[in-house]
Amino acid sequence: MSEKQKKNKIQTLLEILFTSTKLGLTSFGGPIAHLAYFKDEYIDRRKWLDDKTYADIIAICQFLPGPASSQVGLSIGMLRGGLLGGLISWLGFTVPSIIVLIVFAMMYQTFSLEDAVFIHSLKIVAASVVLHALIGMGQKLTPDKPRIAIALVAATIMLLFPSAWMQILIIVGAGLLGLRLFKDKAESKVQPFSINISKKLGVASLGTLISLLILLPLLNRMSDNPLLNIFDIFFRVGSLVFGGGHVVLPMIEREVVPSGLLTANEFLAGYGMAQAVPGPLFTFSSYLGTMMEGVTGAIVATVGIFLPSFLLIVAALPFLNELRKRATFQGILMGVNASVVGILLAAFYDPVISSSIFSTADFALAVILFGLLNIWKIPAWLVVLLGVIGGYVIQFIS
């Protein structure tokens, strides 16, 4: 590699770090909002990918277990800067919230923060950001009546039968429906993307994931090491949970509360804070690890829950270029993308609205923030700041 190529590589990695860290500091609102933030920054402003490639990556990540928004960010980082670029994009996006949640866990034993006004204010901000994201995604991914119908049916089913398994069935069903309805609408010319990951490495990555899923429980039974126990718990959760951040919480709860690793009150306090910070909700693991084994436990839990996503993305990306050229696969993705809009619409009601809007004052603040974001195009970080200030104003006048 020449000096010029090395310099360009370093500049690319620094650009990835700067951009992902900026997103990690400002991306409030959960996975729905994260996808909108990614589109605004990576696609619309920096032109790292086109809209079609971005939509295809989202659809692929919806098929995989783990945090979809983090997997999308990993994928974009890898497409831009290889494996190291993916790692850097993950670090930039997740470290800010990791730090906040570790500090929060340390403070929890001294101060009671469950009912803090700023936490509720950030939930109201999230409602506005999520609605803004839904509108943007709906315009792109459901442009015709058949796809709107798929989205509405998906939302209805998820609201009536909310479960991770139902979400999987909806995505699979929408993909099969898309194969039937949209394969004739496939684009004949799909812009390929370059990825510096071989298929051999992809297969090896999948093999590593499967091997760890088998070996870790066996090793954990043979040892009483608390850090190994934490890594085993969070690696299994990160490998097997479908449905993203909100679905992972009850799965972790069943692992740590009945066994006495945390009390229910400690768990719920961290859950509220995890929804308030920017970045992926899976960083809840940082709080839990800190409560169990300090900062070392936080690092082990965080690596454990995110490592499966890294392995899965490395396994999937080398094969995506060939698949997306096929008309049948494009039809499947059209159906899946439409169902994702519906699933996110259901999530907008529960848990976003159901856990944030409790009064007419809350609703009024959410409407104002949505207008500032959607109509006046106020930056997201400023909307967050105004939302927190608005929350304290509501408390003062009520």
Side-chain angles (χ1 to χ4, degrees):
M1 183 182 291
S2 67
E3 288 298 321
K4 184 177 180 180
Q5 288 175 320
K6 290 180 181 178
K7 185 177 180 180
N8 289 338
K9 179 71 172 178
I10 292 173
Q11 288 177 339
T12 297
L13 295 176
L14 288 174
E15 183 185 24
I16 293 172
L17 178 61
F18 171 79
T19 307
S20 60
T21 302
K22 173 186 171 184
L23 289 167
L25 290 167
T26 59
S27 296
F28 292 92
I32 312 170
H34 297 164
L35 297 179
Y37 290 132
F38 288 169
K39 183 182 182 304
D40 178 64
E41 187 68 32
Y42 291 136
I43 314 305
D44 297 339
R45 294 186 59 191
R46 298 185 180 271
K47 310 293 183 183
W48 287 0
L49 301 174
D50 57 46
D51 286 332
K52 181 69 170 59
T53 302
Y54 183 58
D56 288 353
I57 288 174
I58 291 174
I60 289 295
C61 293
Q62 290 294 331
F63 273 116
L64 302 176
S69 62
S70 295
Q71 290 169 334
V72 171
L74 270 170
S75 300
I76 294 172
M78 288 181 188
L79 292 174
R80 186 69 177 172
L83 290 175
L84 185 56
L87 178 61
I88 289 174
S89 70
W90 176 80
L91 287 171
F93 186 56
T94 56
V95 165
S97 55
I98 288 172
I99 293 173
V100 172
L101 287 167
I102 289 175
V103 171
F104 177 70
M106 292 176 172
M107 294 174 61
Y108 181 87
Q109 295 178 356
T110 306
F111 304 101
S112 179
L113 301 177
E114 296 98 313
D115 299 321
V117 173
F118 78 92
I119 290 181
H120 180 61
S121 300
L122 288 175
K123 290 181 182 180
I124 297 175
V125 171
S128 303
V129 172
V130 168
L131 179 57
H132 173 66
L134 265 176
I135 292 173
M137 292 186 67
Q139 290 172 342
K140 289 290 185 181
L141 302 181
T142 55
D144 50 43
K145 290 181 179 179
R147 278 179 275 188
I148 291 173
I150 291 175
L152 292 176
V153 171
T156 302
I157 294 173
M158 279 303 298
L159 287 170
L160 294 175
F161 308 100
S163 73
W165 288 109
M166 184 56 68
Q167 177 171 317
I168 297 169
L169 292 175
I170 289 171
I171 291 174
V172 172
L176 294 174
L177 193 59
L179 175 62
R180 181 176 180 84
L181 295 178
F182 305 127
K183 64 180 180 180
D184 294 333
K185 295 184 179 182
E187 296 181 23
S188 57
K189 295 182 179 180
V190 177
Q191 185 70 28
F193 58 81
S194 60
I195 179 68
N196 191 26
I197 300 174
S198 67
K199 293 180 180 178
K200 184 177 180 180
L201 180 58
V203 173
S205 181
L206 183 60
T208 300
L209 174 69
I210 296 172
S211 298
L212 286 173
L213 278 174
I214 296 171
L215 292 176
L216 281 173
L218 296 176
L219 293 174
N220 191 30
R221 290 193 187 97
M222 298 166 58
S223 170
D224 58 357
N225 187 314
L227 294 178
L228 179 58
N229 183 45
I230 290 172
F231 189 76
D232 175 38
I233 289 172
F234 285 90
F235 187 86
R236 275 189 286 112
V237 170
S239 301
L240 302 175
V241 67
F242 287 86
H246 292 295
V247 178
V248 78
L249 296 169
M251 189 171 181
I252 295 179
E253 191 273 341
R254 289 193 294 269
E255 294 276 0
V256 301
V257 174
S259 62
L261 293 173
L262 271 83
T263 68
N265 286 337
E266 290 170 340
F267 185 88
L268 291 175
Y271 169 58
M273 187 61 184
Q275 292 186 86
V277 299
L281 191 54
F282 269 48
T283 52
F284 181 41
S285 59
S286 304
Y287 166 85
L288 297 174
T290 305
M291 295 294 287
M292 288 186 275
E293 288 292 330
V295 176
T296 304
I299 295 171
V300 170
T302 305
V303 171
I305 203 168
F306 280 102
L307 180 57
S309 293
F310 192 87
L311 295 173
L312 284 166
I313 291 300
V314 173
L317 282 183
F319 300 94
L320 180 56
N321 249 338
E322 293 183 9
L323 286 172
R324 63 199 292 265
K325 294 177 184 177
R326 301 175 183 269
T328 53
F329 189 69
Q330 287 188 50
I332 291 172
L333 290 182
M334 288 181 191
V336 169
N337 284 334
S339 72
V340 167
V341 173
I343 291 169
L344 299 183
L345 177 60
F348 173 62
Y349 172 75
D350 183 17
V352 175
I353 290 294
S354 62
S355 64
S356 61
I357 307 300
F358 300 131
S359 67
T360 53
D362 290 345
F363 181 76
L365 178 58
V367 169
I368 292 171
L369 296 176
F370 173 75
L372 292 173
L373 189 65
N374 195 60
I375 299 173
W376 281 276
K377 310 298 181 183
I378 299 297
W381 66 267
L382 183 55
V383 171
V384 171
L385 179 61
L386 293 173
V388 172
I389 294 172
Y392 281 98
V393 170
I394 290 173
Q395 184 195 41
F396 178 76
I397 64 177
S398 61

